[in-house]
Amino acid sequence: MRQFRTLFLVLCVTLCPLWLVAQSGTISGKVIDSKGVLVGATVYLESSKAQGANSNINGKFIISGVKPGEQTVVFHYLGYNSKTVSVAVNPGEVSEVTVELIPLVYEGEEVIISTQRRGQTEAINQQLASDKIANIVSSDRIQELPDVNAAEAIGRLPGVALTRSGGEGQKVVIRGMHPKYSAITVNGVRLPSNSSTDRSVDLSLIAPELLDAIEVFKTPLPDMDAEAVGGTVNLRIRKAPDRFKLNAKGLYGFNNQARQFRDYKGVFQVSNRFLNKKLGIIAQGSVERFNRSGDFLTNGWRQGRTDSLGNTEVLGSSLNLEDRSEIRQRYNGSLSLDYKLNPKHDLSLFGVFSRTDRDQFRSSEVYNPSNPSIEYRAQGTENILSLYSLTLSGDHNFGFLKADWSLARSRSNSNTPYNYFIRFRDTQNSFDSELNQDDHPRLYFNAAQPDLTETILVGGESETSDAFENTNTALLNLAIPVKINKNTSLEFKFGGKYYGVDRARTFDRRSENFYYLGGEFAQNATALFEGNGGSITNIITNPALIGINTFISSQSSPVFLNEEGQQISLNSNIDPAIVRSWYESQQSILTSNRFGLVNQYQVFESITAGYAMLKFKIGDVLTVIPGFRYELSDNEYRGGFSTVSGRYGVNGDYIDTTTYQKYGELLPHLHIKFKPAEWFDIRASYSKTMARPDFSYITPRTQINHTSLNIAAGNPNLSHMVSTNYDINISAYKGTLGLLSFGVFRKDITNDFFPWTVNLADSAIRAQSGWDDLGGYELRSYTNLDSSQVYGFEVDLQTNLGFLPKPLNGIVLNVNYSRMFSTTTAFFQTSETRLIIPFPPIFETTYTTHEREVQRISQLPHILHLSVGYDIGKFSARVSGIYQGSRPTSYNLNKDFDQFSLEFWRWDASVKQGIGENWTVFLNLNNFSNQQDIRFTQSESFIRNVQTFGWTGTVGLQYQIR
């Protein structure tokens, strides 16, 4: 009897949802305005606010489990008039509806939704519709900002800063967390890392024109990757619209630093739907070439005497002037296919490819009066950075069950086939005898007495590397909606994900650092170079030595911008073509440098995750989402154990090593959204996220250098980082005024990982580190820190002045400010040697570890983003600025010798003018304020480094069929 009751109950639970589905219907549709789809619109039944949805990136929505009969559907979008539509619902059928919303009016006059205002409105609506604490860059805003890549577009959001390379944004720093702590996804699928050492993603690869929106999630839900301590950046690609669209854009640009009109960019996009609008296709591609050259000035400082008050003198040490020439060529392409099986089922196939070719040549002069010498250096580098991702996904609505799934394969590759470094040294007394070497390094250049005829070739070194990462992703999400009553609903969502990483790095170093000895070293090199068509110039006083004039270009030396902003001419002009020819001729006699073996590794990571979450809603007043995520990591790491000594580490052994790690982490979540009024909401979030150690940190790579008595080693026993995150965000909004939000956050971090250096003089330290037989050696490895914190607040205002009389009603304003704090620990080691027995003399060295509480070096204390735009008719203009406060870049035991990056303002501008229905001309200016990247020691009086890239400008023409 009991078995019969159990079977009856199981049948009821299984069949009742199917019976309910058969008795209910579905409302599906799209929300649009006169210019296209509206993303983030709120749609709900007038009879039950608990039954509703938000329009997705394609403007579409689905409401399931609707009671049959005539239903009134409410459509709401901030900045637009709300609208109600009557829809007939039949059991088991899908009722489709398309609704066009009209902008709000001021005193009887309809608001003109310009490009800037539409982009702002779309971003606000998506942000308000999200269950997470998020910031959005909408499609229209991406198109109207003068950003050269995806990183630049993200870098204007609250709490976000950028790391730069060649003057352009490269990686994102979210809430003071290093780029390696943020997850980067495309349509929800994680991109592989393209860094050779850590887990960060270089976003300069991605052209902004290929994106439809950018989402930055600062509080992930359980259905998102847990490896996102900083946050998650999702790059969204929209499905094809219902009509034919075409966009073709061409740009031609000027680089002020190089004084060249040779930059260009071309973009082509086309999309349409076929087969009775069931099949959608979007094809996009772009090609560009930009000059990223710059001038780099570096002052070297050393510590002088410390007075009785603890103040330490700062004395000059060296001066390095570097002229860097770099051309970057970038290629992007994507293809998106989606097929609508029926109103409830969609399939999509998306592929993206991106490649950046970097051709760089550095020429530098190092003035060191303490030797005294002038050293000339040159380095030619070619690097190819590529990324591709292919994703097959499906969305299904069974009424009682919603499901979506994805299968993805991605690959990144960083290949450096050519990286050659060559050094020369002036052998004469190279400085004025009156020069005081303790003075400011800026004096060294004018006091120098260079003689290129007596400057000899010292040595050269080649480093080639290749790093790739393959990732395989499979994920499934299932959601069961349950209506409790007309104002209360539940949605139970659960699912799983598999994420596999196959990564490897190869590294080869070859050297010859004894050309300056002459003899066979110089003779063999000369014979090979002359046999390859080269011509050798020897120095005058010793014809057996190779002179720098062998490598000097016939053109005049490059002009350099010094610390005072004055243009000076460098003393040498090394020809990159001759350096490349020299390298190619010398390869057969370069000696394999075994010190580079420690840079190789291989990684296999397998992450399996499962989650469950419950979304409880009372109308649109309260949303509560409790849940958890569990991630299981099963990892294999491969490296090598090597001993090296002698010239280029020629003596020693090498054996392969393999280590394993397996661990699980349970990550609880709780998210609450409370909306007590139509214009106001409060969001609170508690979550746990994690981060896995850098590849270079955790792989079992060990090198024992018996010549210099040091050990460089990875730490396979490193633990993963766990962050407990607390967030509260308050938003006030009104359709005619925009959005004002304020948020506070805190991250409590355990097991942070960082580099660690310790001397193995103490037997206890040797035993703890596992190096009992290497007393006195210096160990350079990595360790975990018990705890650290990151906390702060963000203020964001997005508004327009449409309520003002003409012409002021065309102003659009976006401003946000972030104040961040952090606490962590920096460690330093000192040594003291004492005479303990006078005769025979015996000395004892004691090593002491010191620590200081400091802020994280990736954390900016102040970030301010400001943009002011103006639209009138088909004319649009915008000026935008970014302020970043000073931050530490490295710490010293003597805090007077900490290094900092200097605060700065960076300004960009864009102007557009529409011509007819399809054409637009525009002008973009990037960094027109000529902001420099400056670092200093102790105070601005002691500038450490100045990087100058100048400003760039592009003019362009765009043709669109919308």
Side-chain angles (χ1 to χ4, degrees), residues 16 115 129 153 189 196-197 209 218-219 254 430 445 569 576 709 890 914:
C16 280
T115 299
V189 174
S196 60
T197 55
E209 291 86 358
K218 298 172 179 175
T219 57
F254 173 75
S430 307
F445 182 81
S569 180
L709 301 184
S890 67

Side-chain angles (χ1 to χ4, degrees), residues 37 80 83 110 114 167 225 240 279 329 331-332 368 431 435 455 514 521 539 558 638 857-858 887 891 908-909:
V37 301
Y80 286 68
K83 192 171 187 177
E110 181 180 316
S114 63
D225 278 349
L279 174 65
Q329 293 181 290
Y331 311 90
N332 281 274
N368 190 346
F431 293 91
L435 173 67
T455 300
F514 296 97
F521 297 106
I539 68 170
R638 298 178 183 177
I857 61 174
S858 58
R887 68 173 176 88
Y891 294 107
D908 304 318

Side-chain angles (χ1 to χ4, degrees), residues 919-952:
W919 293 93
T920 304
V921 294
F922 52 87
L923 167 67
N924 295 331
L925 296 175
N926 294 91
N927 193 29
F928 68 78
S929 55
N930 198 28
Q931 172 264 322
Q932 298 173 301
D933 296 325
I934 300 175
R935 296 186 178 185
F936 63 90
T937 298
Q938 189 183 108
S939 73
E940 295 177 35
S941 300
F942 305 106
I943 297 297
R944 178 77 179 181
N945 179 264
V946 180
Q947 299 182 16
T948 305
F949 296 99
W951 59 269
T952 60

Side-chain angles (χ1 to χ4, degrees), residues 86 144 257 397 505 729 757:
S86 182
E144 52 95 3
Q257 184 72 14
N397 190 327
R505 187 186 189 212
N729 186 268
T757 300

Side-chain angles (χ1 to χ4, degrees), residues 457-460 512-518 521-522 525 545 582 586 590:
L457 171 64
V458 175
E512 184 52 79
N513 290 314
F514 296 97
Y515 295 120
Y516 67 95
L517 296 177
F521 297 106
L545 300 179
W582 173 269
Q586 303 299 304
L590 292 179

Side-chain angles (χ1 to χ4, degrees), residues 147 416 528 602 660 809:
D147 295 321
T416 306
L528 288 171
Q602 194 168 9
Y660 302 91
N809 62 344

Side-chain angles (χ1 to χ4, degrees), residues 189-331:
V189 174
R190 188 166 189 140
L191 289 179
S193 164
N194 46 25
S195 167
S196 60
T197 55
D198 60 36
R199 298 176 186 267
S200 61
V201 176
D202 184 348
L203 281 168
S204 67
L205 273 170
I206 308 295
E209 291 86 358
L210 303 186
L211 306 176
D212 196 74
I214 302 172
E215 303 166 316
V216 177
F217 299 118
K218 298 172 179 175
T219 57
L221 292 178
D223 58 350
M224 300 175 64
D225 278 349
E227 196 174 358
V229 172
T232 298
V233 177
N234 185 41
L235 311 176
R236 294 198 320 198
I237 311 296
R238 180 178 287 175
K239 294 179 181 179
D242 289 340
R243 61 184 183 276
F244 174 76
K245 284 191 174 184
L246 181 143
N247 180 24
K249 179 164 64 173
L251 299 90
Y252 189 60
F254 173 75
N255 182 287
N256 180 60
Q257 184 72 14
R259 301 288 178 179
Q260 287 183 355
F261 259 112
R262 296 182 60 186
D263 292 347
Y264 62 81
K265 183 174 186 177
V267 180
F268 183 81
Q269 302 167 308
V270 63
S271 61
N272 204 356
R273 300 201 73 86
F274 305 92
L275 303 179
N276 197 27
K277 297 187 177 182
K278 288 188 174 183
L279 174 65
I281 301 176
I282 300 180
Q284 309 178 87
S286 69
V287 59
E288 59 187 89
R289 182 259 193 206
F290 282 98
N291 192 315
R292 296 297 174 192
S293 301
D295 290 339
F296 294 71
L297 179 148
T298 302
N299 294 317
W301 303 100
R302 57 190 173 87
Q303 299 184 33
R305 291 173 297 180
T306 301
D307 62 22
S308 58
L309 299 177
N311 299 314
T312 304
E313 287 183 298
V314 181
L315 306 177
S317 172
S318 62
L319 173 67
N320 186 340
L321 306 178
E322 179 183 306
D323 177 76
R324 185 180 300 180
S325 300
E326 181 173 350
I327 303 299
R328 296 185 185 178
Q329 293 181 290
R330 192 168 291 138
Y331 311 90

